[in-house]
């Protein structure tokens, strides 16, 4: 078993950290307060090659492995969750799913532009009445000659106003086979019948764009279908194997950010002439954060390694997402506690970590869904079978 990271991993970490410090943090407090996202962030990420991490050179990506993707997410979220969300949606849910499920022609058609950031990808599964219960979506796809006509709506869509194309899951009208009704498409936002609308008033990730997308008699060519008729739910679930990985690694970045802030504050703030870092109850909170960070890294490195070698990792990815997000929320709660009243206002960043980390316990599988999934695996009610198509191993 090899635990060492490579020099390339270290370079990716340093690059993503610097990007966070120089490009994400300046002006962030205002953007977060005003709930204003910055579209130019995507261009800056593209310029640095960040949007191509995890995509093979053959498709004009960086040619780096899947662990690199996790490390980049960790360091981006150390600056702000909104930057990591871009990776989750564009790289994880969208690009890697095309890499897994696309035909060679589709990969050649879509991946180079996505890897270079010339186009941005989004993901549409959740609907107003189908979140955890993802199988029961209502968006319809009607077959009509060589194309499909889509009607429906998706909600809580990150980058709804910015993405050029979306991976959308719909329900096939009159499926050939009972139970084989889900179908996945890559849809272009410039197609007649598409429109988006921003969601306002979010608790966290306020510097990120979130919205709804709507399809009204929207025609999609059969050449833009990912997988076959009936594969749509599997496409969605494997997209979540990629998205959850980025969320799990990003959550470690929040814990590190909490430690950055608390480390500083513990030495600055004194009680009775003594640094608060000397207080044992504060030390307990710091030690828990360190454990969350270090265990969290092991969990996501393992998933990254499983992706690298082409192993199915649904169970391990769920574990990493479940535990890391819970530990990030706990770390952020403790970071607020350590900062006392200062932690309760936006003079310090920890209140933002608290609000941002809460969201990750809801999206990409709620805390409760992952709890149940883990219990089901252990009790033998849930078993992973070999997949029809797998993510190409890292070469
Ligand atoms: N890869 C490929 N196929 C998979 C898979 C995976 N990871 N997981 C399951 N499948 C396949 C199964 O093999 C099965 O196929 P067969 O019947 O042929 O074997 C089929 O999909 C159904 O799988 P399950 O039996 O596991 O389905 P289930 O109904 O038991 O799943 C559930 C229940 C786990 C709760 C699932 O519905 C789930 O994960 N729900 C949460 C959905 C979710 O995370 N939503 C987040 C939306 S996206 C988002 O949040 C992003 C954002 O931007 C905000």
């Amino acid at each position: 078993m090899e635990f060492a990271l490579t020099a390339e991993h270290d370079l990716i970490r340093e690059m993503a950290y610097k990007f966070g410090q120089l490009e994400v943090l300046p002006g962030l407090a205002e953007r977060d307060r005003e709930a204003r996202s910055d579209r130019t962030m995507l261009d800056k990420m593209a310029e640095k090659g960040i949007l191509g991490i995890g995509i093979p050179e053959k498709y004009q990506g960086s040619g780096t492995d899947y662990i690199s993707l996790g490390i980049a997410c960790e360091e981006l979220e150390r600056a702000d969750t909104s930057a990591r969300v871009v990776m989750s949606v564009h790289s994880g849910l969208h690009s890697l799913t095309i890499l897994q499920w696309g035909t060679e022609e589709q990969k050649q058609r879509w991946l180079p532009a996505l890897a270079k950031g010339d186009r941005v990808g989004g993901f549409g599964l959740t609907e107003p009445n189908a979140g955890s219960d993802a199988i029961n979506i209502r968006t319809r796809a009607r077959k009509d000659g060589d194309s499909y006509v889509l009607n429906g709506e998706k909600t809580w869509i990150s980058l709804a106003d910015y993405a050029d194309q979306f991976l959308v899951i719909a329900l096939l009208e009159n499926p050939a086979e009972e139970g084989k009704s889900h179908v996945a498409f890559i849809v272009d936002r410039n197609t007649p019948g598409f429109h988006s609308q921003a969601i306002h008033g979010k608790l966290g990730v306020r510097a990120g764009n979130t919205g709804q997308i709507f399809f009204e008699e929207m025609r999609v060519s059969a050449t833009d279908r990912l997988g076959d008729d009936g594969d749509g739910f599997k496409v969605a679930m494997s997209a979540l194997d990629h998205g959850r990985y980025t969320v799990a690694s990003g959550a470690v970045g929040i814990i590190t950010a909490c430690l950055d802030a608390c480390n500083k504050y513990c030495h600055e703030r004194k009680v009775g002439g003594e640094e608060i870092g000397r207080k044992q109850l504060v030390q307990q909170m710091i030690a828990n954060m360190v454990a969350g960070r270090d265990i969290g890294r092991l969990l996501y490195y393992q998933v990254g390694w499983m992706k690298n070698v082409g192993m199915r990792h649904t169970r391990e990815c769920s574990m990493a997402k479940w535990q890391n997000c819970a530990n990030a929320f706990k770390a952020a709660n403790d970071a607020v506690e350590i900062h006392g009243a200062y932690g309760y206002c936006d003079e310090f960043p920890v209140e933002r970590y608290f609000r941002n980390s809460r969201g990750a316990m809801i999206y990409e599988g709620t805390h409760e869904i992952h709890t149940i999934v883990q219990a089901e695996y252990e009790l033998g009610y849930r078993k992973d079978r070999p997949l029809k198509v797998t993510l190409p191993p890292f070469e």
Side-chain angles (χ1 to χ4, degrees):
M1 197 176 283
E2 176 65 78
F3 279 103
L5 296 176
T6 62
E8 190 168 53
H9 292 140
D10 294 341
L11 283 175
I12 297 257
R13 183 180 290 285
E14 195 186 327
M15 181 275 292
Y17 173 74
K18 277 193 187 147
F19 185 87
Q21 296 299 306
L22 299 176
E23 306 291 356
V24 180
L25 284 177
L28 174 66
E30 288 73 32
R31 292 200 303 280
D32 189 78
R33 197 177 301 134
E34 293 162 13
R36 184 165 44 81
S37 59
D38 176 11
R39 173 67 180 80
T40 65
M41 184 69 62
L42 291 165
D43 302 325
K44 291 175 188 160
M45 290 171 92
E47 257 168 53
K48 280 272 170 212
I50 294 175
L51 299 181
I53 295 176
I55 301 297
E57 279 174 343
K58 181 180 170 190
Y59 304 114
Q60 299 188 39
S62 67
T64 46
D65 70 351
Y66 302 114
I67 295 177
S68 305
L69 176 63
I71 290 172
C73 289
E74 179 189 334
E75 292 304 329
L76 289 171
E77 187 146 13
R78 187 169 171 184
D80 192 48
T81 302
S82 59
R84 190 273 302 154
V85 165
V86 170
M87 300 300 282
S88 293
V89 175
H90 172 89
S91 303
L93 293 164
H94 192 97
S95 304
L96 289 193
T97 312
I98 293 175
L99 185 62
Q100 178 172 353
W101 282 89
T103 61
E104 191 51 40
E105 183 278 321
Q106 288 176 326
K107 292 186 215 186
Q108 294 288 355
R109 181 149 52 97
W110 287 316
L111 288 177
L114 290 164
K116 287 186 283 175
D118 292 343
R119 288 180 71 79
V120 172
F123 179 68
L125 172 65
T126 301
E127 298 183 356
N129 292 305
S132 293
D133 189 19
I135 208 155
N136 284 318
I137 53 169
R138 290 185 193 163
T139 293
R140 301 275 153 181
R142 187 177 74 244
K143 236 178 176 162
D144 185 20
D146 284 345
S147 54
Y148 296 77
V149 179
L150 263 60
N151 281 287
E153 65 182 286
K154 301 285 177 182
T155 193
W156 295 112
I157 305 305
S158 304
L159 307 179
D161 293 327
Y162 297 155
D164 300 289
Q165 58 188 55
F166 296 84
L167 166 55
V168 169
I169 316 298
L171 219 50
L172 200 56
E173 286 182 14
N174 307 316
E177 220 182 305
E178 184 72 19
K180 297 267 181 193
S181 48
H182 292 76
V183 58
F185 302 99
I186 299 294
V187 306
D188 191 306
R189 76 172 305 120
N190 291 318
T191 313
F194 178 96
H195 79 272
S196 70
Q197 184 178 294
I199 291 176
H200 298 288
K202 287 180 297 176
L203 174 70
V205 203
R206 291 168 60 85
N209 172 257
T210 312
Q212 290 172 280
I213 55 175
F214 303 87
F215 323 110
E216 214 177 307
E217 288 292 290
M218 190 178 89
R219 194 167 284 275
V220 184
S221 163
T223 58
D224 296 342
R225 189 188 63 208
L226 210 53
D228 295 324
D229 285 347
D231 282 340
F233 191 70
K234 292 182 173 107
V235 173
M237 295 309 287
S238 45
L240 287 167
D241 282 346
H242 310 319
R244 287 168 181 170
Y245 172 60
T246 62
V247 176
S249 46
V252 176
I254 293 201
I255 303 177
T256 308
C258 289
L259 279 163
D260 292 341
C262 291
N263 217 315
K264 190 161 176 281
Y265 195 73
C266 280
H267 291 298
E268 278 170 9
R269 181 76 177 179
K270 293 195 171 76
V271 174
E274 191 178 54
E275 292 180 359
I276 61 166
R278 296 274 179 202
K279 304 287 178 199
Q280 288 183 335
L281 290 181
V282 171
Q283 291 182 348
Q284 181 172 49
M285 290 188 258
I286 297 289
N288 284 341
M289 288 181 207
V290 172
R293 179 196 61 195
D294 292 357
I295 295 167
R297 280 190 184 141
L298 290 175
L299 285 174
Y300 92 73
Y301 289 163
Q302 180 196 16
V303 178
W305 175 81
M306 292 175 88
K307 283 184 187 291
N308 279 351
V309 298
M311 284 169 73
R312 182 158 182 186
H313 50 271
T314 306
R315 179 178 185 167
E316 292 77 9
C317 190
S318 157
M319 172 66 84
K321 194 273 177 187
W322 177 47
Q323 285 302 301
N324 290 4
C325 293
N327 286 331
F329 183 59
K330 184 171 186 336
N333 189 33
D334 286 348
V336 169
E337 187 74 23
I338 286 172
H339 282 71
Y342 290 110
Y344 200 64
C345 69
D346 63 6
E347 194 182 328
F348 287 82
V350 291
E351 61 84 34
R352 180 162 48 83
Y353 305 151
F354 178 80
R355 291 184 286 105
N356 286 354
S357 59
R358 187 65 185 87
M361 290 175 71
I362 300 171
Y363 53 71
E364 305 227 17
T366 62
H367 186 72
E368 291 71 23
I369 285 288
H370 290 292
T371 306
I372 291 164
V373 161
Q374 289 302 320
E376 286 179 349
Y377 277 121
E378 184 60 28
L379 293 168
Y381 301 141
R382 177 173 290 275
K383 282 194 174 67
D384 286 342
R385 288 201 290 254
L387 296 173
K388 180 175 165 182
V389 288
T390 52
L391 188 67
F394 173 69
E395 288 165 2

Coordinates of all heavy atoms in Angstrom, one line a residue, residues 3-5 9-10 13 66-68 70-71 74 245 249 252 293-308 320 324:
F3 N 1.2 5.2 0.5 CA 0.6 6.4 1.0 C 1.1 7.7 0.6 O 0.6 8.8 0.8 CB 0.6 6.3 2.6 CG -0.4 5.4 3.2 CD1 -0.1 4.2 3.6 CD2 -1.7 5.9 3.2 CE1 -1.0 3.4 4.2 CE2 -2.7 5.0 3.8 CZ -2.4 3.8 4.3
A4 N 2.3 7.7 -0.1 CA 3.0 8.9 -0.4 C 2.3 9.6 -1.6 O 1.9 9.0 -2.6 CB 4.4 8.6 -0.8
L5 N 2.2 11.0 -1.5 CA 1.8 11.8 -2.6 C 2.9 12.1 -3.5 O 4.1 12.0 -3.0 CB 1.1 13.0 -2.1 CG -0.1 12.9 -1.2 CD1 -0.6 14.2 -0.6 CD2 -1.3 12.2 -2.0
H9 N 1.3 16.1 -7.1 CA 0.2 16.4 -6.1 C 0.6 17.7 -5.3 O -0.3 18.6 -5.1 CB 0.0 15.3 -5.1 CG -0.6 14.1 -5.8 ND1 -0.2 12.8 -5.5 CD2 -1.5 13.9 -6.8 CE1 -0.8 11.9 -6.3 NE2 -1.7 12.6 -7.0
D10 N 1.9 17.8 -4.9 CA 2.3 19.0 -4.1 C 2.2 20.2 -4.9 O 1.7 21.3 -4.4 CB 3.8 18.8 -3.6 CG 3.9 17.6 -2.6 OD1 2.9 17.2 -2.0 OD2 5.0 17.1 -2.5
R13 N -1.4 21.2 -5.1 CA -1.9 21.8 -3.9 C -1.4 23.3 -3.8 O -2.2 24.2 -3.4 CB -1.3 21.0 -2.7 CG -1.8 21.5 -1.3 CD -1.3 20.7 -0.2 NE -1.9 19.3 -0.1 CZ -3.1 19.0 0.4 NH1 -3.9 20.0 0.7 NH2 -3.5 17.8 0.4
Y66 N -6.9 11.5 -10.4 CA -8.1 11.9 -9.7 C -7.8 12.4 -8.3 O -8.6 13.1 -7.7 CB -9.1 10.7 -9.7 CG -9.5 10.2 -11.1 CD1 -9.1 9.0 -11.6 CD2 -10.2 11.1 -12.0 CE1 -9.4 8.6 -12.9 CE2 -10.5 10.7 -13.3 CZ -10.1 9.4 -13.7 OH -10.4 9.0 -15.0
I67 N -6.7 11.9 -7.7 CA -6.3 12.4 -6.4 C -6.0 13.9 -6.5 O -6.4 14.7 -5.6 CB -5.1 11.7 -5.8 CG1 -5.5 10.2 -5.5 CG2 -4.6 12.3 -4.5 CD1 -4.3 9.3 -5.0
S68 N -5.4 14.3 -7.6 CA -5.1 15.8 -7.9 C -6.4 16.6 -7.8 O -6.4 17.7 -7.3 CB -4.5 16.0 -9.2 OG -3.3 15.2 -9.4
G70 N -9.1 15.9 -6.1 CA -9.5 16.1 -4.7 C -8.6 17.1 -4.0 O -9.2 18.0 -3.3
I71 N -7.3 17.1 -4.3 CA -6.4 18.1 -3.6 C -6.8 19.5 -4.1 O -6.9 20.4 -3.2 CB -5.0 17.7 -3.9 CG1 -4.6 16.5 -3.2 CG2 -4.0 18.9 -3.6 CD1 -3.2 15.9 -3.6
E74 N -9.9 20.5 -2.2 CA -9.6 20.8 -0.8 C -9.0 22.3 -0.7 O -9.5 23.1 0.1 CB -8.6 19.8 -0.2 CG -8.2 20.1 1.2 CD -7.1 19.3 1.8 OE1 -6.8 18.2 1.3 OE2 -6.4 19.8 2.7
Y245 N -17.2 13.0 -4.4 CA -15.8 12.9 -4.1 C -15.2 14.4 -3.9 O -14.5 14.7 -3.0 CB -15.1 12.2 -5.3 CG -13.6 12.3 -5.3 CD1 -12.9 11.8 -4.2 CD2 -12.9 12.9 -6.3 CE1 -11.5 11.8 -4.2 CE2 -11.5 13.0 -6.3 CZ -10.8 12.4 -5.2 OH -9.4 12.5 -5.2
S249 N -13.7 16.0 -0.5 CA -12.3 16.6 -0.4 C -12.4 18.1 -0.1 O -11.6 18.6 0.7 CB -11.5 16.4 -1.7 OG -12.3 16.7 -2.8
V252 N -12.7 18.9 3.7 CA -11.4 18.9 4.4 C -10.8 20.3 4.4 O -10.2 20.8 5.3 CB -10.4 17.9 3.8 CG1 -9.1 18.0 4.5 CG2 -11.0 16.5 4.0
R293 N -9.5 16.7 9.9 CA -8.7 17.0 8.7 C -7.9 15.8 8.2 O -7.9 15.4 7.1 CB -7.7 18.2 9.0 CG -6.8 18.5 7.8 CD -5.7 19.4 8.3 NE -4.8 18.7 9.3 CZ -3.9 19.3 10.0 NH1 -3.8 20.6 10.0 NH2 -3.2 18.5 10.9
D294 N -7.2 15.1 9.2 CA -6.3 14.1 8.8 C -7.0 12.8 8.4 O -6.7 12.1 7.4 CB -5.3 13.8 10.0 CG -4.3 14.9 10.2 OD1 -4.4 15.9 9.4 OD2 -3.5 14.9 11.1
I295 N -8.1 12.5 9.1 CA -8.9 11.3 8.8 C -9.6 11.6 7.4 O -9.7 10.7 6.6 CB -9.9 10.9 9.9 CG1 -9.1 10.5 11.1 CG2 -10.9 9.8 9.4 CD1 -10.0 10.4 12.4
G296 N -10.1 12.8 7.3 CA -10.8 13.2 6.1 C -9.9 13.0 4.9 O -10.4 12.6 3.8
R297 N -8.6 13.4 5.0 CA -7.7 13.3 3.8 C -7.6 11.8 3.5 O -7.6 11.4 2.3 CB -6.4 13.9 4.2 CG -6.3 15.4 4.0 CD -5.0 15.9 4.1 NE -5.0 17.4 4.0 CZ -4.3 18.2 4.7 NH1 -3.4 17.8 5.5 NH2 -4.5 19.5 4.5
L298 N -7.4 11.0 4.5 CA -7.2 9.5 4.2 C -8.5 9.0 3.5 O -8.3 8.2 2.5 CB -7.0 8.7 5.5 CG -5.6 9.0 6.2 CD1 -5.6 8.2 7.5 CD2 -4.5 8.5 5.3
L299 N -9.6 9.4 3.9 CA -10.9 8.9 3.3 C -10.9 9.3 1.8 O -11.2 8.5 1.0 CB -12.1 9.4 4.1 CG -12.4 8.8 5.4 CD1 -13.6 9.5 6.1 CD2 -12.7 7.3 5.2
Y300 N -10.6 10.6 1.6 CA -10.8 11.0 0.1 C -9.6 10.5 -0.7 O -9.8 10.2 -1.9 CB -11.2 12.5 0.0 CG -10.0 13.5 -0.2 CD1 -9.3 13.6 -1.3 CD2 -9.8 14.4 0.9 CE1 -8.3 14.6 -1.5 CE2 -8.8 15.4 0.7 CZ -8.1 15.5 -0.5 OH -7.1 16.4 -0.6
Y301 N -8.4 10.5 -0.1 CA -7.3 9.9 -0.9 C -7.6 8.5 -1.3 O -7.3 8.0 -2.4 CB -6.0 9.9 -0.1 CG -5.3 11.2 0.2 CD1 -4.4 11.3 1.2 CD2 -5.7 12.4 -0.5 CE1 -3.8 12.6 1.5 CE2 -5.0 13.6 -0.2 CZ -4.1 13.7 0.8 OH -3.5 14.9 1.1
Q302 N -8.2 7.7 -0.4 CA -8.6 6.3 -0.8 C -9.5 6.3 -2.0 O -9.4 5.5 -2.9 CB -9.2 5.6 0.4 CG -9.6 4.2 0.1 CD -10.6 3.6 1.1 OE1 -11.2 4.3 1.9 NE2 -10.7 2.3 1.1
V303 N -10.5 7.2 -2.0 CA -11.5 7.2 -3.1 C -10.8 7.6 -4.4 O -11.0 7.0 -5.4 CB -12.7 8.2 -2.7 CG1 -13.6 8.2 -3.9 CG2 -13.4 7.7 -1.5
G304 N -9.9 8.6 -4.2 CA -9.1 9.1 -5.4 C -8.3 7.9 -6.0 O -8.2 7.7 -7.2
W305 N -7.7 7.2 -5.1 CA -6.9 6.0 -5.5 C -7.8 5.0 -6.2 O -7.4 4.4 -7.3 CB -6.2 5.4 -4.3 CG -5.4 4.2 -4.6 CD1 -4.2 4.1 -5.2 CD2 -5.8 2.8 -4.4 NE1 -3.8 2.8 -5.4 CE2 -4.8 2.0 -4.9 CE3 -7.0 2.3 -3.9 CZ2 -4.9 0.6 -4.9 CZ3 -7.1 0.9 -3.9 CH2 -6.1 0.1 -4.3
M306 N -8.9 4.7 -5.7 CA -9.9 3.7 -6.3 C -10.3 4.2 -7.7 O -10.4 3.4 -8.6 CB -11.1 3.5 -5.4 CG -10.7 2.8 -4.1 SD -12.1 2.6 -2.9 CE -12.8 1.1 -3.5
K307 N -10.5 5.5 -7.8 CA -10.8 6.0 -9.1 C -9.6 5.8 -10.1 O -9.8 5.4 -11.2 CB -11.1 7.5 -9.1 CG -12.5 7.9 -8.5 CD -12.7 9.4 -8.6 CE -14.0 9.9 -8.0 NZ -15.2 9.5 -8.7
N308 N -8.4 6.1 -9.6 CA -7.2 6.0 -10.4 C -7.1 4.5 -10.9 O -6.6 4.4 -12.1 CB -5.9 6.3 -9.5 CG -5.7 7.7 -9.4 OD1 -6.3 8.6 -10.1 ND2 -4.7 8.1 -8.6
A320 N -16.9 8.9 2.7 CA -16.0 10.1 2.8 C -16.9 11.4 2.8 O -16.6 12.3 3.5 CB -15.1 10.1 1.6
N324 N -16.8 13.5 6.2 CA -16.1 14.7 6.0 C -17.0 16.0 6.2 O -16.6 17.0 6.7 CB -15.3 14.8 4.7 CG -14.1 13.8 4.7 OD1 -13.9 13.0 5.6 ND2 -13.4 13.8 3.6

